[in-house]
């Protein structure tokens, strides 16, 4: 496993330079609440046909900074992006709330200070 630090500003450029659709499978975008209003965002990829070859791009952020969408590079990423909108209350470019949670659900249940 390789873990590569990036920033929200350079995310699209870095994943765009890395990602080859026939070589890499986009698994998920994940969030880890770090406390004190901070979050680690992870974009996780595995290499086709290679056991245990996983690459994780990660960026440290806060809950107020908008997150760029990677849907222009990887259309299937919309599911993971909508999930982190629901579960963490993040603002992801073009992603709507309401994929997993109803209107009367607890807002952003995976955010530490919820």
């Amino acid at each position: 496993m390789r873990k590569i630090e990036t920033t929200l500003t350079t995310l699209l450029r870095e994943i765009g330079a890395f990602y080859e659709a026939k070589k890499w499978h986009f698994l998920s975008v994940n969030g880890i609440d770090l406390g004190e209003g901070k979050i680690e965002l992870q974009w996780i990829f595995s290499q086709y046909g290679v056991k245990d070859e996983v690459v994780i791009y990660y960026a440290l952020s806060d809950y107020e900074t908008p997150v760029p969408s990677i849907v222009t590079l990887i259309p299937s990423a919309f599911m993971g992006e909508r999930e982190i909108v629901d579960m963490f209350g993040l603002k992801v470019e073009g992603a709507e709330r309401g994929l997993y949670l109803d209107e009367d659900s607890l807002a952003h249940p995976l955010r530490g200070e919820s």
Side-chain angles (χ1 to χ4, degrees), residues 3-15:
K3 197 168 177 186
I4 302 168
E5 187 170 9
T6 186
T7 67
L8 296 181
T9 305
T10 61
L11 175 72
L12 280 172
R13 184 179 67 238
E14 291 183 33
I15 288 181

Side-chain angles (χ1 to χ4, degrees), residues 26-31 41-43 71 75-88 90 92 95 99-100:
F26 173 70
L27 296 174
S28 182
V29 57
N30 188 40
L41 294 163
Q42 301 175 338
W43 293 264
V71 168
S76 64
F78 83 95
M79 292 292 288
E81 291 179 354
R82 288 189 66 190
E83 181 178 5
I84 64 172
V85 168
D86 277 0
M87 298 299 161
F88 291 99
L90 293 170
V92 179
L99 180 65
Y100 294 104

